[in-house]
Amino acid sequence: MTQQFVRDLQEVDETQVAVVGGKGAHLGTLSRIEGVSVPGGFCVTTDAFRRIVAEAPSIGDHLDQLSLLNPDDREAIRSLSAQVRRIIEEITIPGDLAAAITAALARLGEQAAYAVRSSATAEDLPTASFAGQQDTYLNVVGPEAILRHVSRCWASLFTDRAVTYRQRNGIDHRTVDMAVVVQQMVFSEAAGILFTADPVTGNRKVATVDAGFGLGEALVSGLVNPDVFKVRDGQVIARTIAAKERAVHALPDGGTQTMAVDSRQQEQPALTDAQVVRLVQLGRRIEAHFGSPQDIEWCLADDGFQIVQSRPITTLFPIPETDDQENHVYVSVGHQQMMTDPMKPMGLSLWKLTAMAPMCDAGGRLFVDATRALSSPASRAHLMDLVGRSDPLTRDALETVLDRDDLVPSLPDPEPGGRPVGGAPAPIETDPAVVTRLIERSEKSVAALRRDIAAKSGPVLFDFLLEAFEEHKQVLTDPLSFQAIMAGMESTWWLNEKLHEWLGEKNAADTLTLSAPGNITSEMGLELLDVADVIRPHPEVVAFLQTAEDDSFLDELAKLPGGPEARDAIEAYLDRYGMRCAGEIDITRPRWRERPSTLVPAILDNVRNFEPGAAERRFEEGRQKALAKEQDVLTRLRALPDGDSKADETKTMIDRVRTFIGYREYPKYGIISRYFVYKQALMAEAGRLAQGGVLRDKEDIFYLTFQELHDVVRSKQVDDRLIQQRKEAFRSYHALTPPRVLTSEGEAVNGAYRRDDVPAGALVGLPVSGGTVEGRARVILDMAKADLEPGDILVTAFTDPSWSPLFVGIAGLVTEVGGLMTHGAVIAREYGLPAVVGVEQATRSIQDGQRIRVHGTDGYIEILS
């Protein structure tokens, strides 16, 4: 019975989290690592906790109530959690359980001092550290006090912060148990925390040591600022010695007290450099054992280090795996594709198989290894110019990395040749027939794919898809398509640069590109206005859509007056655009055709906010503004020295930009059209596997790579544990923020604007669509939950083409991610919306409903109320 309730630390390891909790399991493992000293002690197991909870059946009802609360309902959580804690602390510990604990104490010394520490089963895990969520009690003396504090630790499973943490991480309260670690107390001269990777930059080669006098409680509680040491390659490379005015010390009869530090000692370092280096060596040994960077609590007594806790650092962004030991610099793909959310394994593998450039992944995000491009002067200049035009923050991040001489190798330039980006326009004629031909070619390719894949299944399907992926890449790398895209972009850059130089106008191309023909993404937004025109005259249809949540609503729609026409309009829209969705580069994301209810809020906004014929009027208004701007610019140019030449050159570029800029959006439409064909075929295969009992659910294929699914189809066997692990990893990736630039040392670099020409307190970003607008900020993270009024300013993390239906009803745009030629910027210019993108933390810094002013020409946002 004693073994059921109490385990010696030396008897447990990381395989026994369910028995002794995360902290207990880690401490047991630490005690086995050669050269690592861990204070002796024992664990009161989760069996003991369950025995206590069984004494109070009412706890179950309280947990049911807790699980229904919103994580943001702090008052309700505080009240209900306090009730649960009170119930647990008032339970008398049964005699046999108390005897087991006191017997373990007797073996170590009944009247010795102990630390009594909570150890939950959902604590110190690779994906959720739960750091500081439960309680620790120091210098507890005597069996009676130990038992009392064990009860408090059990109760601390239900502190407000622990309950909220579980709610936010989707962890069921009933699935978490509490063990308690009872350890011999270390009366330390100094204590603190060692991070084996820099917790701020993520650099895995730089360890950080925080140190203070006395017990570590002073640091953990924020009572004092610690000394901070940074160590790299066995050397202290930086140190900050704090004035440590207070320290926490153990009292002779139990408990702790905060005491003043002697003024002569306050600014003395808590550790010598030699001790810091020795501690980091110890940390590297622990890190190697656990296989990941660690957050380690340590104590120094008699010049020896005792380790009292080690947990994974869960906030670090993972590093792409390589098969070499060389330095690498990775650039985020998601910041270019307007998709910084994590992708599932199938989504990652499909994008890599069909992308033009080799890619790697980490943390559920895609990266391109830019090391080689950065290593020679010519290719570096080419890349920096391209990146700088797209996203200045990425350029600044790369410049920060390049400032470190030893990170990127220096290689000679390749053989001369090739045209620098941003130079003369691409060598094709300004002929609309070029765009027509490219679109026809793409449509034929998708139609052939749809026809040829129809009868394919089993291993034959996968062989066919591998061939289709090669054709996919050929479509992407079509030289004529690339020339057309670059012609539109380069003529835009030319107009902005030259008209600023000649006329002092900023971003003149923003107006000159309004309502450019052939932009599939802006047409998508305008055509949803046409859908609203069909629905608006039918009040019963409008009322039905206001309550429609099920994706089968289209079937019900046909039963209403006006319903058949409404359904046909939506179906026609889905026939053309149903392959799109938010985060569409991840093939696993539900498409509009699969989840048409996503479009309903935007349709209803259009019904409410617009008059019939709005789409045609909007397009024509934009076209007239562009024509008027063209005449204005040309007239003013002709008044300048050599004005006729300048005007003629500008007219050529205006014609060129209006011919080609709309095509900028079409290749992505073609890619996503092909993606939907791939997905439908793969989901049909998944359905057969699920029907045959190979898969539990057909969407489990999303957690396999393409090759892994191919193997499953051949073998008719699947590793359910692998799928479960991938699901857990994917959930954990949502808590990570992908950096714009990541090094192989783990350093995450996001860049800065470094501007001093904006008002104090303004949020700085990249100006991508000119003009100034004031309005109500609507912070929207899910297009399906949009509720917009005329004059609102959309504030969101990122926008891909699927968001463009919302653009027709807003007055301005602010995003956290974006560049000058990314989809949101292009469509904002098409619709004449002032827009600022690349605004760090915009969705947190701006509150929903606040009044803001967007300066789309100068690139900043003022919060007015």
Side-chain angles (χ1 to χ4, degrees), residues 189-195 199 207-216 218-220 223-231 236 238-247 261 265-273 275-276 279 298 300:
E189 302 144 25
I193 301 167
L194 159 64
F195 297 96
T208 300
V209 175
D210 290 2
F213 295 125
L215 303 179
L219 266 62
V220 173
L223 190 63
V224 297
N225 291 325
D227 295 341
V228 180
F229 302 86
K230 292 189 181 294
V231 177
V236 176
R239 68 179 64 74
T240 302
I241 308 303
K244 300 169 287 296
E245 297 178 356
R246 292 179 294 279
V261 175
Q265 189 187 8
Q266 287 178 6
E267 297 193 18
Q268 292 296 311
L271 296 176
T272 66
D273 281 8
Q275 288 171 327
V276 169
L279 175 60
W298 56 269
L300 177 69

Side-chain angles (χ1 to χ4, degrees), residues 531-822:
V531 172
D533 285 353
V534 175
I535 290 169
R536 192 179 292 106
H538 305 292
E540 289 185 57
V541 171
V542 174
F544 172 77
L545 290 177
Q546 286 169 343
T547 59
E549 295 180 357
D550 194 298
D551 287 311
S552 63
F553 75 91
L554 287 170
D555 296 331
E556 297 298 315
L557 201 57
K559 301 173 186 176
L560 301 171
E565 297 93 325
R567 182 193 60 188
D568 291 348
I570 295 172
E571 286 283 2
Y573 187 85
L574 290 171
D575 286 343
R576 190 170 191 208
Y577 302 112
M579 78 294 289
R580 311 220 81 150
C581 68
E584 61 192 8
I585 70 169
D586 182 352
I587 199 172
T588 72
R589 291 283 191 109
R591 311 283 133 175
W592 289 346
R593 171 55 79 182
E594 297 167 322
R595 195 171 291 173
S597 59
T598 305
L599 291 172
V600 170
I603 292 172
L604 290 172
D605 282 349
N606 289 348
V607 167
R608 184 176 67 248
N609 297 333
F610 292 93
E611 296 295 324
E616 188 176 346
R617 282 198 305 278
R618 285 284 297 268
F619 186 82
E620 184 57 24
E621 285 169 9
R623 197 176 74 84
Q624 292 299 329
K625 283 182 183 176
L627 286 171
K629 184 67 174 178
E630 176 181 329
Q631 293 307 312
D632 172 62
V633 163
L634 296 178
T635 299
R636 289 159 62 199
L637 285 172
R638 288 193 181 99
L640 299 176
D642 197 25
D644 288 342
S645 174
K646 288 182 172 73
D648 290 345
E649 205 173 352
T650 299
K651 172 60 175 168
T652 298
M653 286 301 180
I654 291 173
D655 291 345
R656 194 167 181 79
V657 79
R658 292 194 66 80
T659 298
F660 291 115
I661 198 64
Y663 180 72
R664 163 73 180 82
E665 292 293 299
Y666 196 87
K668 182 75 171 287
Y669 175 81
I671 291 169
I672 301 306
S673 297
R674 295 181 70 91
Y675 252 46
F676 193 40
V677 178
Y678 304 152
K679 183 177 186 181
Q680 288 173 310
L682 290 172
M683 291 309 292
E685 196 65 34
R688 288 187 282 271
L689 290 170
Q691 197 169 13
V694 178
L695 294 175
R696 294 181 182 178
D697 185 283
K698 63 181 182 180
E699 291 194 357
D700 282 352
I701 69 164
F702 296 162
Y703 298 94
L704 300 171
T705 66
F706 179 82
Q707 187 57 55
E708 287 167 348
L709 179 57
H710 193 178
D711 293 341
V712 169
V713 168
R714 281 194 296 243
S715 68
K716 296 294 187 287
Q717 292 182 328
V718 69
D719 185 346
D720 287 327
R721 287 177 303 172
L722 175 66
I723 288 174
Q724 191 56 40
Q725 288 168 3
R726 295 264 179 86
K727 287 180 178 179
E728 291 171 4
F730 178 71
R731 278 195 294 270
S732 74
Y733 294 154
H734 282 87
L736 301 173
T737 301
R740 282 176 164 79
V741 172
L742 180 68
T743 74
S744 50
E745 294 183 353
E747 186 170 2
V749 191
N750 279 299
Y753 286 108
R754 308 184 194 283
R755 290 175 56 185
D756 55 9
D757 60 341
V758 297
L763 304 177
V764 183
L766 177 66
V768 296
S769 185
T772 301
V773 65
E774 283 185 26
R776 179 180 66 157
R778 293 311 316 268
V779 180
I780 298 172
L781 301 179
D782 181 350
M783 179 182 159
K785 296 177 181 175
D787 181 14
L788 296 164
E789 298 288 345
D792 283 349
I793 296 169
L794 174 62
V795 180
T796 190
F798 54 83
T799 63
D800 58 13
S802 72
W803 286 73
S804 63
L806 298 187
F807 284 24
V808 297
I810 59 176
L813 174 69
V814 178
T815 68
E816 294 180 344
V817 177
L820 193 61
M821 298 306 295
T822 49

